[in-house]
Amino acid sequence: MNDKIRIKDIAARAGVSVGTVDRVLHNRPNVSPPAREKVEKALSEMNYQPNMYASALAYNRSYTFYFIMPKHASEAYWEEIEEGAMKARETRRDFHVDVKLLYYNRFDDATFEEAYQTCLEAKPDGVIIVPSQLAITRQFTDILHEQNIPFVLLDSYMPDLKPLSFYGQDSFCSGYFAAKVLMMIAMNNTEIMMMKQMKNGRVASKQQDNREVGFRHYMHDHFPNIKITEVNLPLDESRETYDNILEKFFTSHPNVHHCITFCSKAHIVGEFLLRTNRRYVQIMGYDMVQKNAECLRQGSISFLIAQHAYMQGYYCVETLFNAIVLKKEVKPVNYMPIEVLIKENVDFYQRTMI
């Protein structure tokens, strides 16, 4: 067992001093090539594996990771991610790991640039990024590469940026899967509604775009005659505004019985359906946030696709810890499960997998 192999045992086998073994183990200078060769041979013969945790603790330095993410409301998908990151920080507190949060507005590139400039000025050991638009995110990641600062992408995978690692769903497959599940109950419909929340002509993330691509791909191949009608509920508007838009839509589209959205705000439609007693309409959405779960229990949401937001936040911090503190190799692409929640199993969903 490695914990029984002492430095003096290695020194005795190699025929060198304890100090020489210590310098080799910690990759310090002032070791002659013959002595290093003897130590490395002894290590191999004794099947010695370093205790990475003990070494990191003994090093006794601190590490600061910055997490750049969108501003969010309480009970939102992003709050789950933030809580997971803070749990990872707590788990690794003995290694003096700190995680600092910076926020930006997803539809204001200037706020993303402001956040990443603040991050760079702090000289972080590692960074977790929920990407903004590709061009401005690349400005940031190019600098991180130049400064040899590892970074992890979360939510939207942009392989051209060459991150250390990525956590999130396979967005295209997720959208394709959503269409397949929805059409199990909507196959006899002639029209379905697609709810979007947009600003300046775009949705909040590349992930939502890719989900829609996957969804439409499945519909084109299997249900080309079903009409998909888009309804935009503008971001950050009042409930009254949303109610007026939805009332107008459902009044003028009485044959629509099923809806889909690729964001975490299915509850906006779900709550409207409950208030107006439209029990014949159901919506399918994403993310196990509390308001969505309540609509699922009451029947206005038919399905939720969950993606373990809490664990995404946790794993991103843990990945930086493993790579930077423990010097371990980490998996570059980490797709989260695509899980379907319905009324009958929502109360058994576990947001953590630790």
Side-chain angles (χ1 to χ4, degrees), residues 67-73 76-79 81-82 101-108 111-112 115 128-132 154-156 204-205 208:
F67 200 146
I68 299 179
M69 64 189 305
K71 293 179 180 178
H72 56 82
Y77 165 75
W78 299 111
E79 188 174 55
I81 287 177
E82 184 177 318
L101 301 170
L102 293 173
Y103 303 99
Y104 69 93
N105 186 325
R106 293 206 84 148
F107 296 95
D108 186 346
T111 63
F112 182 81
I128 302 162
I129 309 169
V130 177
S132 181
L154 184 150
D155 185 59
S156 296
S205 69
Q208 290 182 41

Side-chain angles (χ1 to χ4, degrees), residues 31-248:
V31 180
S32 68
R36 183 177 296 277
E37 184 177 347
K38 290 178 182 179
V39 173
E40 290 175 347
K41 181 180 178 182
L43 293 173
S44 177
E45 292 173 348
M46 300 172 77
N47 193 29
Y48 176 81
Q49 298 293 327
N51 187 329
M52 307 296 285
Y53 287 89
S55 297
L57 284 169
Y59 196 40
N60 196 34
R61 62 155 289 187
S62 60
Y63 304 86
T64 302
F65 304 149
Y66 270 74
F67 200 146
I68 299 179
M69 64 189 305
K71 293 179 180 178
H72 56 82
S74 61
E75 295 190 1
Y77 165 75
W78 299 111
E79 188 174 55
E80 288 271 295
I81 287 177
E82 184 177 318
E83 289 177 5
M86 294 303 101
K87 176 62 177 179
R89 179 183 69 175
E90 178 186 341
T91 301
R92 298 305 181 186
R93 65 182 182 274
D94 289 346
F95 294 86
H96 309 291
V97 170
D98 192 15
V99 178
K100 295 187 180 296
L101 301 170
L102 293 173
Y103 303 99
Y104 69 93
N105 186 325
R106 293 206 84 148
F107 296 95
D108 186 346
D109 289 347
T111 63
F112 182 81
E113 184 173 1
E114 181 181 347
Y116 84 63
Q117 291 292 355
T118 299
C119 173
L120 291 170
E121 290 170 5
K123 301 186 183 305
D125 296 287
V127 183
I128 302 162
I129 309 169
V130 177
S132 181
Q133 297 300 297
L134 176 61
I136 191 168
T137 305
R138 190 192 300 276
Q139 293 175 17
F140 181 30
T141 58
D142 283 351
I143 298 172
L144 293 176
H145 282 301
E146 290 172 4
Q147 298 184 5
N148 294 315
I149 300 173
F151 65 92
V152 174
L153 293 183
L154 184 150
D155 185 59
S156 296
Y157 186 33
M158 298 179 177
D160 290 349
L161 302 183
K162 299 179 181 179
L164 170 71
S165 189
F166 163 76
Y167 281 91
Q169 282 188 343
D170 183 319
S171 303
F172 178 90
C173 288
S174 177
Y176 192 94
F177 175 81
K180 190 170 186 178
V181 171
L182 180 63
M183 297 318 294
M184 290 180 182
I185 61 173
M187 65 177 65
N188 295 322
N189 286 222
T190 58
E191 181 181 9
I192 61 174
M193 184 260 269
M194 179 182 291
M195 187 275 273
K196 292 185 175 182
Q197 285 207 291
M198 305 177 72
K199 190 170 184 178
N200 301 326
R202 61 183 174 96
V203 296
S205 69
K206 180 183 177 184
Q207 184 188 62
Q208 290 182 41
D209 278 331
N210 288 344
R211 287 171 180 169
E212 182 178 342
V213 171
F215 183 89
R216 290 186 180 276
H217 187 85
Y218 179 88
M219 295 299 292
H220 177 270
D221 289 349
H222 299 280
F223 295 92
N225 295 323
I226 292 183
K227 182 180 179 181
I228 301 173
T229 303
E230 294 186 12
V231 174
N232 177 29
L233 300 183
L235 278 168
D236 303 323
E237 291 290 345
S238 66
R239 190 176 82 175
E240 181 181 4
T241 298
Y242 295 148
D243 282 359
N244 288 337
I245 295 171
L246 293 170
E247 182 64 42
K248 181 178 179 180

